[in-house]
Amino acid sequence: TDIPGLPRPIRWSAATAAFQIEGARDEGGRGRSVWDLWVQTPGKVIDGSTAEPGPDSYHRWAEDVALAAGLGLDRYRFSISWTRVQPDGTGPSNPAGLDYYSRLVDDLLAAGVTPFPTLYHWDLPVPIHEAGGWCSRDTAARFADYTELVADRLGDRVKNWYTINEPAMTTLQGYAVGALAPGEFLIFDALPTAHHQLLAHGLATRALRAAGADAVGVANNHTHVRPLNPESPADRSAVDAYDLLHNRIFADPILTGAYPDLSAFGHEMPVREGDMETIGQAPDFYAVNFYNPTTVTAPTGEDNPIPFDIVPTPGAPVTGFGDEWPIVPEALTALLVDFTERYRDLPPLIVSENGASFPEPDRAARVDDADRISYLDGHIRAVGAAIAAGADVEEYTVWSLIDNFEWADGFTQRFGLVHVDFDTAERTPKASYDWYRRVIEGNRA
Ligand code: FCB
């Protein structure tokens, strides 16, 4: 059978994010975000694309809802654009922005799909960026204000919320090495952006619970870190260093109320009184975006300030990103089991993103994406193995429902269960869409 077996049924979801699918950057009173600056800067996006029109979901959201319902999804994970709701990042809300998400929520509910929005998927308003962005503590308070505006309008119908998507990627790629917006190159001086995002998560959690939310949590990117040479003590130290930076700096404060020891990086977090209580409020779930493991080795070169080198994972097949994205489903089992063993009061786990891109045609076409089916099949089985080993995983999410704008890679990497012609926005389900529909049918909670 092509349907993965699971020891028990779980909930099923698929995900998108506002900037990656909406297009219509100048419509509906939307303000500018750091991603508008990025796509307008020549050379930043590999194919020069600007995320427009792309899937054009600002106009075609009803097609996305129909696709979500057609899969039989329990939930749809989408994100709300701060700049549609609050064009300047502060001040009054923009009715057209809130109306858009309110309609989407109504349509999802009418179609029998539970809305599971993310409040922040990387589109930081430009005025907030200019005031310091995530380097500034004040951004956490502004995020909480924005959260209240959204909760006021949607909280009667939306009960499940993701606060922030992948704070780890924002810190590491956005502020430390400049590979994603806002493109800062601060290396270890980027660490305060982790604390400010975690604080924003904590403040938003409080605001959402006050507004009647049932379940609130963060969705972070995590990786399973492995030594190139397991016999080498230097490689094992490199594993510990990278595990701290990518995983533990974000998970420990939320799940234990304390940071791990960061003295190895010669930095301390800008923690003020009460922050750790705010960040450590028990989340209702802990959500993991997982794509691939990371293999590291001891750093090369003298006086290298970075205590690890990231290297290709030996022997692993790869996705459309090549060596950067090795395919190792067992790494997801290992990660979920490690979390279960490491954190005593761990809430239920959610896989909030998992998926892969492969080279596919640009024109509207029926795509027989056997590679994607095999990737998803392997990773759903890996979730099953983690459950069998004691991990309490209650939901699995495919990235992505539809092909979309893959950040600095523009329209060159297709992750969808549904093909999108980026000129016409025409949507055509791929073979993986039918496959996922059957998986859901056979394993429904
Ligand atoms: C994740 C992002 C998501 C998407 C996938 C491929 O890191 O959260 O928006 O780009 O990668």
Side-chain angles (χ1 to χ4, degrees):
T1 166
D2 57 351
I3 310 289
L6 285 165
R8 58 177 163 76
I10 58 174
R11 291 190 303 264
W12 301 96
S13 181
T16 59
F19 193 79
Q20 295 178 276
I21 64 164
E22 287 178 2
R25 296 191 292 123
D26 294 312
E27 282 181 62
R30 180 184 174 282
R32 304 277 94 182
S33 80
V34 291
W35 274 97
D36 293 288
L37 299 182
W38 186 274
V39 301
Q40 285 160 10
T41 308
K44 291 289 194 191
V45 179
I46 215 171
D47 58 357
S49 58
T50 62
E52 288 180 308
D56 194 27
S57 292
Y58 188 67
H59 300 110
R60 291 174 180 254
W61 85 92
E63 293 175 39
D64 298 343
V65 172
L67 288 165
L71 277 173
L73 294 185
D74 295 296
R75 296 175 170 189
Y76 173 45
R77 179 175 179 221
F78 60 97
S79 91
I80 295 174
S81 153
W82 188 343
T83 54
R84 284 205 190 279
V85 170
Q86 222 180 3
D88 294 326
T90 54
S93 63
N94 166 36
L98 283 171
D99 287 350
Y100 171 68
Y101 297 109
S102 183
R103 268 194 310 268
L104 176 60
V105 162
D106 282 343
D107 281 10
L108 285 166
L109 290 169
V113 179
T114 300
F116 198 172
T118 308
L119 283 158
Y120 177 75
H121 201 124
W122 300 359
D123 38 7
L124 192 70
V126 167
I128 301 280
H129 168 64
E130 284 171 349
W134 290 112
C135 293
S136 160
R137 180 181 176 90
D138 197 46
T139 298
R142 299 290 74 75
F143 179 70
D145 294 344
Y146 151 68
T147 298
E148 275 179 37
L149 293 177
V150 177
D152 271 355
R153 180 67 190 277
L154 304 182
D156 56 337
R157 288 154 290 153
V158 175
K159 298 294 171 190
N160 303 283
W161 302 88
Y162 291 111
T163 53
I164 296 193
N165 182 69
E166 297 192 352
M169 289 301 105
T170 295
T171 296
L172 299 177
Q173 307 274 7
Y175 285 89
V177 305
L180 296 171
E184 307 284 340
F185 201 88
L186 302 175
I187 310 294
F188 290 119
D189 289 333
L191 286 175
T193 67
H195 184 63
H196 297 144
Q197 291 181 87
L198 290 166
L199 188 59
H201 157 75
L203 294 173
T205 300
R206 213 169 261 157
L208 292 164
R209 286 185 175 156
D214 290 338
V216 184
V218 74
N220 203 11
N221 182 295
H222 286 292
T223 186
H224 188 250
V225 192
R226 333 172 127 207
L228 181 60
N229 174 6
E231 308 303 322
S232 150
D235 282 12
R236 288 204 305 273
S237 310
V239 167
D240 291 342
Y242 192 69
D243 190 40
L244 268 182
L245 267 189
H246 191 128
N247 295 319
R248 294 194 50 200
I249 281 180
F250 300 91
D252 282 21
I254 292 179
L255 296 171
T256 72
Y259 282 105
D261 179 2
L262 300 178
S263 52
F265 304 124
H267 277 257
E268 271 180 42
M269 289 294 187
V271 177
R272 294 199 195 157
E273 177 148 9
D275 285 2
M276 298 319 290
E277 287 72 27
T278 302
I279 295 170
Q281 291 169 84
D284 301 291
F285 55 82
Y286 192 83
V288 172
N289 294 356
F290 176 84
Y291 290 94
N292 48 51
T294 306
T295 303
V296 298
T297 182
T300 44
E302 302 222 334
D303 296 333
N304 188 341
I306 313 292
F308 50 80
D309 263 353
I310 296 179
V311 294
T313 296
V318 297
T319 73
F321 280 91
D323 280 353
E324 278 173 59
W325 294 57
I327 304 176
V328 187
E330 313 83 76
L332 175 55
T333 309
L335 183 125
L336 295 168
V337 171
D338 277 6
F339 262 69
T340 304
E341 286 167 0
R342 188 182 281 171
Y343 299 109
R344 222 176 334 122
D345 299 316
L346 189 68
L349 291 163
I350 288 179
V351 176
S352 39
E353 284 181 25
N354 177 239
S357 65
F358 295 99
E360 287 168 0
D362 288 334
R363 295 284 75 75
R366 171 82 199 175
V367 178
D368 191 8
D369 51 343
D371 287 342
R372 177 168 297 99
I373 292 175
S374 148
Y375 179 98
L376 297 174
D377 177 279
H379 286 80
I380 293 171
R381 287 176 199 272
V383 169
I387 294 174
D392 181 14
V393 185
E394 53 175 34
E395 183 166 335
Y396 172 85
T397 311
V398 172
W399 181 273
S400 171
L401 179 64
I402 56 178
D403 286 341
N404 60 57
F405 178 78
E406 178 51 27
W407 309 114
D409 290 279
F411 291 127
T412 66
Q413 298 289 345
R414 294 175 174 274
F415 278 86
L417 298 168
V418 175
H419 180 276
V420 177
D421 182 320
F422 292 126
D423 291 327
T424 63
E426 190 181 334
R427 288 144 166 76
T428 312
K430 303 178 191 175
S432 59
Y433 179 92
D434 297 320
W435 174 85
Y436 194 43
R437 186 177 48 69
R438 294 201 305 280
V439 170
I440 294 173
E441 216 169 61
N443 296 276
R444 195 180 273 296

